[in-house]
Amino acid sequence: MTIPTVKQDERELLTEPRAGLRAGLQVGVLAAVGGTPLVELGRLYPDLDARLYAKLESLNPGGSIKDRPALEILTVAIGEGRVGPDTVIVESSSGNMGIGLAQACAYHGLRLICVVDAKASRQNVRILEVYGAEIDYVAEPDPATGEFLPARLKRVQELVDGIPGAFWPNQYANEHNSGAHFRTTMSEVAAQLGGKVDFVFCATSTCGTIRGCGEFVRKNGLPTRVVAVDAVGSLIFSDQKGPRLLPGMGAGLRPPLCDLQYIDDTVHVSDLECIAGCRRLVRREGILAGASSGGLVAAVVKLRDRIPAGATCVVILPDRGERYLDTVYSDEWVRSHFGQVGDLWPEKETVL
Ligand SMILES: Cc1ncc(COP(=O)(O)O)c(C=O)c1O
């Protein structure tokens, strides 16, 4: 399956506010998107001989890193006249991108249709509805591949074809997705650490985050190694398809935004490694984070032999943990899916 790429001109302009952005659009709650804190994780791995920092994307108003591309894509489209007051926005997402778009569409009073499938969590669907998004259900996976993504994309195309002037943000291929991370996420990290970043770890799905961060690193000549963290069983960097229970990380294809020239290392993490990482984050650092965040901190340990002493490492933690209480943080759920796996909670360690 191929996903058409949305062209973007003048990438160089992205370090500056884009010419296409209409002044005054980033107001109200949308003015709170981005500018997230970077905190040191000094207690997570006491014997790690490196400085580890976390970018807390959970503190975006919609609760995740996807507020950034959702806002960027819509803002550019409004600036270019592709989205106006009567435009219907149609996107395939039941997760963070859908919520980021729903937030921006609610603010602007725009109609949003989210195409979701049977795997969407009830809680996320409720959040989308509360923001005012309309839900379009895809009940059956694509018969050829058994995957839901192609079936959802087919449904998006049908809706877009049937609604005059409809706008499809197309997060898997829209370069303003990665553009948001180039213009904001990585430039914030670089500024927060004075350009001294030896490793940046990014979770991958659409590859918007890693592409934008990687391009920023290369174009600004930073000495940073860019590490992709993907789910075991995902087909972005491997052809070993396997079951993935946790949402966020991974994809059933290599998205058009994935450009290997911007990626130095790839680490695969299992669902259980994500869970153990999350539980360590909340008990050792007091950070209640989503599944992929656990995968990111697990990846640092997996790569530690290649991290020189004293290096500065950054993990970009995509979202918060409240939406994972019934999965990642539920012992019952973990046991029911993985069997008796022992205790995944870290031992208590008092540091005063
Ligand atoms: C929780 C979470 N982690 C990681 C990712 C991957 O980010 P990207 O799509 O920029 O590759 C996403 C994307 O939706 C996400 O929601």
Side-chain angles (χ1 to χ4, degrees), residues 58-123:
S58 54
L59 291 171
N60 282 298
S64 90
I65 194 165
K66 290 301 216 181
D67 283 9
R68 297 178 188 260
L71 178 60
E72 182 94 0
I73 289 171
L74 268 191
T75 305
V76 171
I78 292 169
E80 290 174 352
R82 296 181 63 204
V83 168
D86 299 323
T87 305
V88 179
I89 317 295
V90 182
E91 182 58 297
S92 159
S93 171
S94 53
N96 288 326
M97 185 64 172
I99 292 171
L101 283 171
Q103 171 181 256
C105 287
Y107 183 79
H108 289 303
L110 292 168
R111 196 175 151 205
L112 169 67
I113 303 176
C114 273
V115 176
V116 312
D117 62 49
K119 286 183 170 170
S121 84
R122 172 90 201 111
Q123 190 184 24

Side-chain angles (χ1 to χ4, degrees), residues 39-54:
V39 298
E40 183 158 12
L41 304 182
R43 296 181 170 184
L44 195 67
Y45 302 122
D47 55 354
L48 182 73
D49 200 2
R51 298 198 80 164
L52 181 58
Y53 293 87

